[in-house]
């Protein structure tokens, strides 16, 4: 058994140093907590807080309102946040549970896009259930505290349960995330300020835990984006592929059509590859889903790379998309 003193130290640290002002920590609304959890996957707190969390809640104040909305509307509000699978899963989950989230981790974990840690987070933060969480920050803290070289999920869950303060699960889990974000950082951790310092097995060489895996070189995909015009309108498709499913954008092909006029180049880096697009105006017939005016384009959910295409100087001579208010 771990000494209760380290658990009490974590609890006391949170009372004094925790980020109590975060809006999703000032509510017990499971939907608002769930929304924050999925927005914060792959996205920094600052970005979510300043640009996405409040506008999304203003448009969709309840999970029921998400369920009642078309997927296109949800994607539009998610525009710019990236990793759009999260938005599609949110919409799917809202429909599946009829706008009311279950209150136990097993049922929550069975919903699309809600993994074990997110299910535990919702139950811990909304209902104060004694369950540990295991996000990226917590994993790093646990690896260092227990001197674990490898992030083995099974072992990390065992350690998370071992360290959990069952009387104060809410504060404990929030503290573990904050310690990872503010103190036990990936580089240059501030071990002297850490409440786990006095019993941490990895404090002398924190950079060794966990051991970093060498990142593979990001592959580059080179393609062509086709700008098709009809009576001043732009031809777009609604994507079916998994990466940007549901978003609108320009047709992309692997080979450049003959006699195409080059309008410019754009690049965009995704999580697992970099896309280099040569944008060309094509007079040949291009199969699109529909043609849109600038005003209509402003209402569609577009990916970042397609927005970059619209901002090319050469596009201005063809059509000038309206800027959303």
């Amino acid at each position: 058994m771990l000494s209760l003193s380290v658990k009490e130290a974590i609890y006391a640290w949170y009372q004094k140093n925790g980020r109590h002002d975060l809006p999703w920590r000032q509510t017990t609304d499971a939907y608002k907590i769930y929304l924050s959890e999925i927005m914060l996957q792959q996205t920094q707190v600052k970005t979510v807080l300043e640009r996405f969390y409040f506008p999304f809640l203003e448009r969709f104040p309840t999970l029921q309102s998400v369920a009642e909305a078309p997927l296109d509307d949800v994607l539009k509000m998610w525009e710019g946040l990236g990793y759009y699978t999260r938005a599609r899963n949110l919409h799917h989950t809202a429909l599946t549970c009829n706008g009311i989230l279950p209150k136990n981790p097993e049922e929550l974990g069975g919903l699309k896009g809600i993994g074990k840690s997110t299910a535990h987070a919702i139950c811990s933060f909304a209902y104060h259930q004694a369950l540990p969480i295991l996000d990226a920050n917590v994993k790093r803290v646990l690896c260092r505290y227990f001197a674990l070289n490898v992030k083995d999920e099974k072992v990390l869950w065992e350690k998370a349960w071992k360290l959990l303060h069952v009387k104060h699960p809410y504060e404990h889990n929030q503290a573990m995330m904050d310690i990872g974000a503010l103190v036990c950082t990936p580089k240059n951790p501030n071990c002297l300020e850490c409440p786990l310092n006095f019993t941490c097995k990895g404090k002398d060489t924190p950079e060794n835990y966990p051991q970093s895996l060498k990142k593979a070189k990001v592959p580059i995909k080179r393609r062509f984006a086709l700008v098709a015009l009809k009576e001043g309108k732009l031809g777009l498709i609604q994507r079916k592929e998994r990466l940007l499913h549901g978003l609108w954008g320009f047709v992309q092909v692997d080979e450049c059509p003959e006699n195409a006029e080059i309008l410019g180049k754009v690049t965009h880096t995704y999580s697992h590859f970099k896309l280099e697009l040569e944008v060309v105006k094509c007079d040949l017939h291009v199969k699109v889903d529909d043609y849109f005016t600038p005003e209509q384009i402003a209402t569609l959910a577009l990916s970042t790379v397609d927005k970059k295409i619209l901002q090319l100087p050469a596009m201005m001579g063809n059509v000038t998309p309206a800027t959303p208010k």
Side-chain angles (χ1 to χ4, degrees):
M1 288 286 293
L2 275 176
S3 167
L4 186 62
S5 59
V6 67
K7 299 180 183 182
E8 291 294 346
I10 293 170
Y11 175 77
W13 181 92
Y14 180 71
Q15 299 301 315
K16 183 180 179 182
N17 304 289
R19 295 178 288 183
H20 304 281
D21 58 338
L22 293 175
W24 42 86
R25 294 188 182 179
Q26 298 176 353
T27 180
T28 56
D29 186 320
Y31 162 61
K32 293 178 180 178
I33 292 166
Y34 163 45
L35 179 65
S36 72
E37 286 294 315
I38 58 170
M39 279 190 167
L40 289 167
Q41 293 169 3
Q42 310 288 343
T43 309
Q44 294 182 340
V45 170
K46 187 172 184 283
T47 303
V48 170
L49 204 52
E50 291 180 356
R51 295 173 50 201
F52 296 100
Y53 184 69
F54 292 113
F56 196 93
L57 281 177
E58 187 175 345
R59 173 63 180 83
F60 302 111
T62 64
L63 192 60
Q64 183 62 43
S65 64
V66 176
E68 292 170 356
L71 176 58
D72 281 356
D73 290 3
V74 178
L75 289 171
K76 181 63 180 175
M77 290 306 300
W78 204 270
E79 193 177 65
L81 190 55
Y83 299 94
Y84 290 93
T85 300
R86 296 179 294 176
R88 294 193 294 273
N89 287 342
L90 170 65
H91 188 255
H92 186 276
T93 288
L95 290 170
T96 303
C97 65
N98 295 315
I100 302 173
L101 287 169
K103 292 187 178 182
N104 68 74
E106 291 77 23
E107 284 186 67
L108 278 168
L111 294 168
K112 205 166 185 179
I114 300 182
K116 184 176 180 179
S117 183
T118 300
H120 280 205
I122 295 168
C123 289
S124 173
F125 302 151
Y127 313 122
H128 288 247
Q129 294 179 21
L131 300 164
I133 63 170
L134 208 59
D135 75 350
N137 281 323
V138 176
K139 287 179 182 180
R140 184 172 57 258
V141 174
L142 291 173
C143 282
R144 287 173 174 170
Y145 184 72
F146 292 102
L148 304 173
N149 290 313
V150 182
K151 288 188 283 189
D152 182 291
E153 290 283 320
K154 184 180 178 181
V155 173
L156 284 170
W157 275 114
E158 290 173 357
K159 300 300 185 186
W161 276 107
K162 189 175 182 181
L163 194 59
L164 178 67
H165 197 320
V166 293
K167 289 186 178 180
H168 302 288
Y170 175 94
E171 292 84 355
H172 175 85
N173 286 326
Q174 301 287 17
M176 290 294 286
M177 289 193 295
D178 284 357
I179 291 166
L182 305 174
V183 180
C184 193
T185 48
K187 295 181 180 179
N188 304 315
N190 189 359
C191 294
L192 294 177
E193 297 296 322
C194 183
L196 294 90
N197 177 275
F198 62 101
T199 50
C200 179
K201 294 181 179 179
K203 63 183 177 183
D204 294 331
T205 55
E207 64 279 358
N208 290 346
Y209 307 104
Q211 291 182 352
S212 300
L213 298 174
K214 289 186 177 179
K215 287 187 178 181
K217 191 175 180 181
V218 178
I220 297 174
K221 288 186 179 180
R222 295 180 174 87
R223 306 194 78 196
F224 298 88
L226 307 184
V227 175
L229 282 164
K230 183 179 179 183
E231 298 175 355
K233 297 181 180 181
L234 282 168
L236 303 176
I237 59 168
Q238 191 168 29
R239 303 196 186 285
K240 303 293 190 292
E241 66 269 25
R242 186 171 179 270
L243 179 63
L244 299 174
H245 184 86
L247 298 181
W248 290 86
F250 294 93
V251 174
Q252 292 182 18
V253 295
D254 293 322
E255 294 184 8
C256 185
E258 292 183 7
N259 303 319
E261 177 188 345
I262 298 174
L263 300 177
K265 294 182 180 180
V266 298
T267 62
H268 189 69
T269 302
Y270 295 95
S271 58
H272 53 291
F273 71 95
K274 181 178 180 180
L275 179 64
E276 292 185 354
L277 274 180
E278 191 156 2
V279 183
V280 299
K281 183 179 176 182
C282 187
D283 292 328
L284 298 174
H285 176 71
V286 179
K287 188 176 181 181
V288 298
D289 289 334
D290 209 343
Y291 288 86
F292 299 93
T293 65
E295 290 73 23
Q296 291 169 328
I297 290 173
T299 67
L300 300 176
L302 270 69
S303 72
T304 300
V305 72
D306 290 294
K307 284 187 170 184
K308 289 179 179 179
I309 293 171
L310 289 170
Q311 291 165 3
L312 285 172
M315 290 291 290
M316 302 303 176
N318 296 296
V319 64
T320 305
T323 302
K325 295 182 180 178

